Amino acid sequence: MDQLKGKKILIAVTGGIAAYKIPELTRLFIKAGCDVQVALTENAVRFVQPLTLETLTHHPVLMDDFILLDEGGIPHIEATAWCDILIVAPATGNVIGKAAAGIADDIVSTLLLAASRKPVLFAPAMNSRMYLNPVVKRNIALLREMGYHFIGPDEGEMACGEEGIGRLSDLTCIVEKVKDIFTVKDLQDLTILISAGPTQEPIDPVRFITNRSSGKMGYAIANAAKRRGGRVILVSGPTRLSVPKEGITLIRVKTALDMEREILEHFPYSDIVIMAAAVADYRTDKPFPQKLKKSDKSFKLELVRNPDILQALGTQKTHQILVGFAAETEKFEKNAIQKIKDKNLDLIVVNDVSQPDAGFEVDTNRIMLIDRFNKIRKFPLQSKEDAADTILDKILKIKRKVAG
Ligand code: PMT
């Protein structure tokens, strides 16, 4: 489910040093399957060459509004009718002020006035003293109130050498924000509890038992659920992943017992629960208090069973849609159908973890969905982001079916 495929993106560039990053932003949108057109103010041209952008986009760059296009079209009217979204990046304090006041005296401010029926995203970038000026803050607040979208700016070192808030947002975050804007908010008002990553079961102060889960699958579901408007609680075992999307409640845990406690606490008021974590089935009963010394003899470690969190959820389930994962290497359907029955699940996501491009650690997955009505559907190799949307689509179908 690629929200960006086939979308027409109009990027309006104003005269800030961050304009030099726009060819890369353009490339990211094109890579995501978008058709991109760019407009440059006179001052933007001082920082970025039109030829670079024309070569990347295969469209002429809009710079002069006082010309007629082929067949008599007017640039700002044609371009804003064509686009699905207008992105102003970098947006200077000047263009933000013009937009707030309704002034249209150059190509970008004229596009802004003409794009009144299209979503508009501003990515401000300026020196922090300018950004924190109450006039700029007021203009941004006014535009936000009118429904304009904003992203950033970020904190860090700026072109002038000063540190502070004012850097153009990370380019991948701008792309992600545009995805958010295009996404239908079909999980609005729902609370989605997700587990991700491995658990770590301590042996002694420096050693533990764990598995190969990176957390990528669970984090992808959490990000997709957030994008689709859900209230998301992510209970995560130790991972190296960056913090998920803003607005997700992230609870970090280490052991299966920690994970069980957090999941059970948030379960009663959740609407959808997805257990993507690879929870260790065993732990040492009592971890050694001191670091174990090596000995020549063999060493036996006694393990006890961890609680099966999913099983407990199945017995406590009231209104929740309960989704389990199955990391299998053989007898996929048989084992998964058994798990649905044993754990009272609504859906199970089966991944063949014997494949090098699916399951643990990798960015892709090959999933099979089996619902509680024994309906089975296999999906081809897809990114974990797309797999996340596939799973959420299926959950919503089940939820609607259950609700009658
Ligand atoms: O994190 P990645 O690197 O992206 O990899 C993704 C993944 C392979 C970890 C993920 O797609 C996946 O399959 N997660 C479940 C792995 C697993 O533990 O499978 P299982 O068949 O052992 O467990 C079945 C279900 O019971 C799972 O939903 C699991 O979360 C749950 N479980 C398991 C043991 C336990 N003690 N308590 C549980 O709740």
Side-chain angles (χ1 to χ4, degrees):
M1 257 62 37
D2 199 339
Q3 295 83 355
L4 292 179
K5 221 178 194 94
K7 287 283 188 281
K8 297 190 178 79
I9 313 276
L10 178 57
I11 304 179
V13 188
T14 59
I17 175 68
Y20 82 89
K21 296 180 179 170
I22 299 311
E24 180 57 17
L25 182 66
T26 303
R27 210 187 56 79
L28 290 178
F29 278 117
I30 291 171
K31 211 171 145 209
C34 302
D35 192 0
V36 183
Q37 208 180 152
V38 179
L40 300 176
T41 60
E42 263 179 53
N43 284 335
V45 177
R46 296 167 188 249
F47 295 103
V48 62
Q49 284 299 309
L51 183 61
T52 313
L53 294 158
E54 287 180 348
T55 311
L56 286 169
T57 63
H58 305 290
H59 284 291
V61 164
L62 303 173
M63 289 186 289
D64 183 2
D65 207 27
F66 294 92
I67 51 163
L68 290 184
L69 303 172
D70 296 345
E71 292 165 26
I74 301 164
H76 63 275
I77 301 297
E78 296 267 301
T80 49
W82 170 85
C83 71
D84 295 305
I85 188 168
L86 169 61
I87 304 169
V88 188
T92 55
N94 180 44
V95 78
I96 291 169
K98 283 186 195 177
I103 294 170
D105 64 354
D106 62 16
I107 183 70
V108 169
S109 52
T110 311
L111 286 170
L112 273 162
L113 210 54
S116 55
R117 292 197 195 143
K118 297 289 168 76
V120 175
L121 171 66
F122 285 94
M126 65 198 85
N127 171 280
S128 47
R129 275 176 284 137
M130 295 168 85
Y131 178 68
L132 296 173
N133 187 316
V135 174
V136 175
K137 283 169 106 177
R138 181 204 59 194
N139 290 339
I140 291 176
L142 185 68
L143 289 168
R144 274 187 194 277
E145 212 174 284
M146 288 194 284
Y148 288 87
H149 302 274
F150 278 81
I151 178 156
D154 288 350
E155 280 194 50
E157 194 186 334
M158 287 170 295
C160 56
E162 289 181 20
E163 286 274 336
I165 186 158
R167 285 171 60 86
L168 182 71
S169 229
D170 184 82
L171 301 183
T172 54
C173 295
I174 297 178
V175 175
E176 188 65 16
K177 178 76 184 184
V178 173
K179 264 192 200 172
D180 283 3
I181 293 169
F182 286 133
T183 303
V184 178
K185 306 293 180 238
D186 51 5
L187 293 175
Q188 194 116 40
D189 299 328
L190 296 176
T191 299
I192 301 117
L193 176 61
I194 299 160
S195 73
T199 61
Q200 283 181 357
E201 311 299 330
I203 297 170
D204 69 11
V206 297
R207 300 179 178 94
F208 51 76
I209 300 166
T210 190
N211 59 64
R212 285 173 42 212
S213 170
S214 63
K216 286 179 185 172
M217 190 64 245
Y219 277 53
I221 299 172
N223 286 334
K226 181 71 207 159
R227 185 183 309 121
R228 291 167 74 150
R231 282 184 296 269
V232 180
I233 303 167
L234 176 62
V235 180
S236 170
T239 75
R240 287 163 192 261
L241 299 179
S242 48
V243 175
K245 261 176 120 50
E246 209 180 304
I248 291 177
T249 303
L250 174 65
I251 302 170
R252 293 189 192 275
V253 296
K254 280 206 169 137
T255 66
L257 291 178
D258 294 342
M259 186 168 276
E260 181 196 35
R261 188 188 60 246
E262 292 297 338
I263 294 280
L264 291 183
E265 183 180 333
H266 297 285
F267 183 63
Y269 64 89
S270 295
D271 300 291
I272 297 165
V273 182
I274 307 170
M275 286 291 294
V279 186
D281 287 319
Y282 294 91
R283 69 175 189 279
T284 54
D285 196 13
K286 281 199 186 80
F288 294 90
Q290 307 301 335
K291 186 182 168 209
L292 288 169
K293 300 279 178 234
K294 43 177 181 295
S295 81
D296 291 341
K297 293 180 200 146
S298 64
F299 169 67
K300 278 197 182 133
L301 188 64
E302 191 162 326
L303 301 177
V304 294
R305 276 295 297 266
N306 264 330
D308 190 320
I309 306 170
L310 194 55
Q311 183 113 42
L313 299 179
T315 56
Q316 293 181 22
K317 185 166 107 173
T318 51
H319 63 288
Q320 298 88 348
I321 298 290
L322 186 55
V323 182
F325 266 73
E328 301 288 352
T329 53
E330 56 169 359
K331 298 185 192 148
F332 307 106
E333 287 171 34
K334 189 167 166 275
N335 290 346
I337 289 170
Q338 195 57 45
K339 271 186 188 143
I340 293 186
K341 287 198 187 107
D342 293 347
K343 303 189 183 191
N344 191 19
L345 306 181
D346 295 286
L347 177 69
I348 194 150
V349 182
V350 188
N351 31 202
D352 177 358
V353 292
S354 65
Q355 299 290 321
D357 54 4
F360 290 94
E361 294 172 310
V362 289
D363 293 331
T364 48
N365 211 351
R366 227 180 265 281
I367 59 170
M368 172 163 67
L369 299 183
I370 308 181
D371 68 18
R372 68 189 234 196
F373 314 104
N374 283 345
K375 202 164 168 213
I376 301 177
R377 191 150 170 220
K378 283 183 192 166
F379 292 84
L381 187 73
Q382 51 188 330
S383 68
K384 283 187 174 164
E385 283 69 34
D386 285 349
D389 274 317
T390 304
I391 294 163
L392 292 170
D393 287 346
K394 178 68 187 180
I395 291 171
L396 279 177
K397 266 193 198 148
I398 296 174
K399 196 160 167 36
R400 284 184 206 119
K401 192 165 175 179
V402 172

